[in-house]
């Protein structure tokens, strides 16, 4: 890290280093490469469309391998000091059509259709740290730590493994300009969470993906691995989710609790569809997590309740008391695509339209 610090602080004159990042063919991982610019972009449209070898990312065949990356959002780069930026991109094929792994395009269209409802999303992104041998970070190599209980929001070297990563990520996200509103140590040792939002519309998905990229880059510096697997350790250990807090303007206004209840009723009728969309393997990953144990509801049936962390959808107690606010969908897996999650909520709750 010290050597890299020396090189990263070398003067770069008036040039701008723009790191283009995109979601690869797995729908779970992020790739990136850097381009030299000669002025700082004010808008994504100021940036050139670029391309990459899609045959190396599971997004194209070797005989037609060029994939376009079109800039859609710009953030400050927390890794290269100076006037540099991160550029989130959509992926397009040779005909400039969205690739199957590009879930943002459809999400943006749905958000545009419902923009007058001013949808807000807050996503609680959990993750687990691993050693490079993929064993949970800080855990005994030939055994397990003590049972869950003392770790959640805990303090002490015998309880918390990897706080430095959590704190560094928090600061890096703030520097980048993300709406990160908090972070905490989670129930399982080496498990953490950060919260993105509230963000309106497609920006929620944008910021979750960029925060994931920043987390993995920070983890590189600490020589640890990040996993978003929904159940990284089998047995009596909590899984890893991405609870999505959701509201429209009508839900946030006086009497909004009735709109929240209407939303939950609509969600109950599309439970199976949402389960399929809430992880990248059509719901198979989440089956290991949504068992009805460890603060989850079973994936087999829909449930809801006030302040009930064992339900599919929870109404926070404060919202119930005030008669307005938001709902928390607790079903999305940690490795979900936030574009699919937020689009699904809008289609079911607001548009009531699953055509096209």
């Amino acid at each position: 890290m010290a050597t890299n610090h020396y090189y990263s602080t070398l003067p770069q004159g008036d040039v701008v280093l723009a790191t283009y990042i995109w979601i690869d063919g797995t729908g779970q991982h992020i790739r990136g490469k850097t381009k030299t610019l000669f002025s700082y972009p004010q808008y994504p449209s100021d940036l050139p469309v670029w391309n990459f070898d899609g045959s190396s990312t599971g997004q194209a065949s070797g005989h037609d391998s060029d994939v376009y990356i079109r800039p859609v959002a710009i953030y400050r780069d927390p890794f290269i000091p100076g006037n540099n930026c991160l550029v989130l991109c959509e992926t397009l094929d040779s005909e400039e059509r969205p690739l199957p792994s590009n879930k943002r395009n459809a999400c943006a269209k749905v958000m545009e259709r419902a923009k007058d409802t001013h949808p807000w999303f807050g996503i609680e992104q959990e993750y687990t740290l691993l050693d490079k041998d993929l064993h949970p970070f800080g855990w005994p190599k030939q055994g397990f730590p003590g049972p869950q209980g003392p770790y959640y929001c805990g303090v002490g070297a015998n309880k918390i493994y990897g706080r430095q990563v959590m704190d560094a990520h928090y600061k890096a996200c703030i520097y980048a300009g993300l709406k990160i509103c908090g972070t905490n140590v989670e129930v399982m040792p080496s498990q953490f969470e950060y919260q993105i939002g509230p963000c309106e519309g497609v920006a929620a998905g944008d910021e979750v993906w960029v925060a994931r990229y920043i987390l993995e880059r920070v983890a590189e510096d600490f020589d640890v691995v990040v996993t978003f697997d929904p159940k990284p350790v089998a047995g009596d250990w909590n899984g890893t989710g991405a609870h999505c807090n959701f509201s429209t303007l009508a839900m946030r206004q006086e009497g909004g609790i009735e709109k929240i209840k209407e939303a939950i009723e609509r969600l109950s009728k599309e439970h199976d569809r949402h389960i399929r969309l809430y992880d990248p393997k059509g719901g198979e990953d989440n089956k290991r997590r949504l068992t009805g144990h460890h603060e989850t509801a079973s994936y087999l049936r829909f449930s809801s309740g006030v302040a009930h962390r064992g339900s599919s959808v929870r109404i926070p107690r404060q919202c119930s008391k005030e008669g307005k606010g938001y709902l928390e969908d607790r079903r999305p897996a940690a490795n979900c695509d936030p574009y699919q999650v937020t689009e699904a909520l809008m289609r079911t709750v607001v548009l009531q339209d699953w055509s096209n």
Side-chain angles (χ1 to χ4, degrees), residues 12 25 29 36 47-48 59 73 98 102 111 113 229 244 263 308 331 347 355:
Q12 64 183 57
H29 303 301
T36 301
L47 288 153
Q59 291 169 289
N102 177 359
M111 295 301 174
R113 286 172 60 190
D229 187 278
C244 183
H308 188 355
R331 295 171 294 176
R347 283 188 178 276
S355 62

Side-chain angles (χ1 to χ4, degrees), residues 111-353:
M111 295 301 174
E112 179 63 23
R113 286 172 60 190
K115 64 182 180 181
D116 291 343
T117 65
H118 298 286
W120 287 4
F121 303 94
I123 297 178
E124 305 169 25
Q125 177 70 70
E126 294 178 332
Y127 62 94
T128 306
L129 296 180
L130 310 174
D131 281 321
K132 292 204 295 187
D133 63 3
L134 304 185
H135 190 79
F137 181 71
W139 287 34
K141 292 299 184 183
Q142 303 299 324
F144 297 90
Q148 294 182 158
Y151 309 109
Y152 174 70
C153 296
V155 62
N158 62 334
K159 303 181 189 73
I160 311 304
Y161 317 129
R163 186 188 298 276
Q164 298 93 329
V165 176
M166 178 186 75
D167 290 345
H169 173 250
Y170 198 178
K171 292 292 292 289
C173 285
I174 290 170
Y175 179 88
L178 299 182
K179 289 184 177 179
I180 183 169
C181 62
T183 190
N184 60 270
V185 179
E186 266 301 334
V187 176
M188 186 179 79
S190 306
Q191 184 186 59
F192 302 87
E193 175 185 300
Y194 59 90
Q195 301 91 37
I196 293 291
C199 298
E200 186 162 326
V202 75
D206 292 346
E207 298 214 3
V208 168
W209 276 113
V210 174
R212 288 177 179 176
Y213 172 81
I214 292 173
L215 176 60
E216 298 229 43
R217 285 288 307 273
V218 167
E220 284 181 25
D221 287 341
F222 288 92
D223 214 27
V224 295
V225 176
V226 176
T227 180
F228 298 107
D229 187 278
K231 188 70 174 179
V233 183
D236 195 16
W237 304 99
N238 271 35
T240 313
H243 303 160
C244 183
N245 300 282
F246 166 62
S247 69
T248 61
L249 179 60
M251 294 179 193
R252 299 189 294 270
Q253 292 176 331
E254 292 300 321
I257 192 67
E258 295 306 317
K259 294 295 183 182
I260 293 172
K261 291 177 180 178
E262 286 178 14
I264 292 173
E265 177 62 23
R266 291 170 186 170
L267 288 169
S268 72
K269 296 175 181 177
E270 297 286 356
H271 176 65
D272 290 344
R273 187 196 299 271
H274 281 249
I275 289 295
R276 291 193 299 271
L277 292 170
Y278 281 4
D279 76 47
K281 296 182 181 177
E284 291 303 309
D285 271 353
N286 238 349
K287 287 181 181 179
R288 294 182 286 120
R289 167 179 163 261
L290 298 180
T291 61
H293 304 288
H294 304 108
E295 301 182 67
T296 71
S298 170
Y299 70 91
L300 293 171
R301 63 189 65 85
F302 183 88
S303 60
S304 63
V306 175
H308 188 355
R309 283 178 164 77
S311 62
S312 305
V313 175
R314 178 179 73 97
I315 299 175
R317 189 174 302 283
Q318 190 70 21
C319 296
S320 178
K321 182 179 179 180
E322 294 180 356
K324 60 181 179 181
Y326 63 94
L327 61 83
E328 178 194 40
D329 191 335
R330 299 178 58 80
R331 295 171 294 176
N335 62 348
C336 70
D337 188 323
Y339 296 129
Q340 283 195 292
V341 172
T342 55
E343 179 187 345
L345 286 166
M346 294 302 291
R347 283 188 178 276
T348 293
V349 173
V350 176
L351 298 178
Q352 300 180 70
D353 179 10

Side-chain angles (χ1 to χ4, degrees), residues 90-125:
E90 285 192 16
T91 51
L92 309 170
D93 67 14
S94 59
E95 302 297 322
E96 298 191 26
R97 297 169 300 196
L99 293 187
S101 55
N102 177 359
K103 308 301 184 186
R104 185 187 191 278
N105 192 272
C107 178
K109 291 176 180 176
V110 164
M111 295 301 174
E112 179 63 23
R113 286 172 60 190
K115 64 182 180 181
D116 291 343
T117 65
H118 298 286
W120 287 4
F121 303 94
I123 297 178
E124 305 169 25
Q125 177 70 70

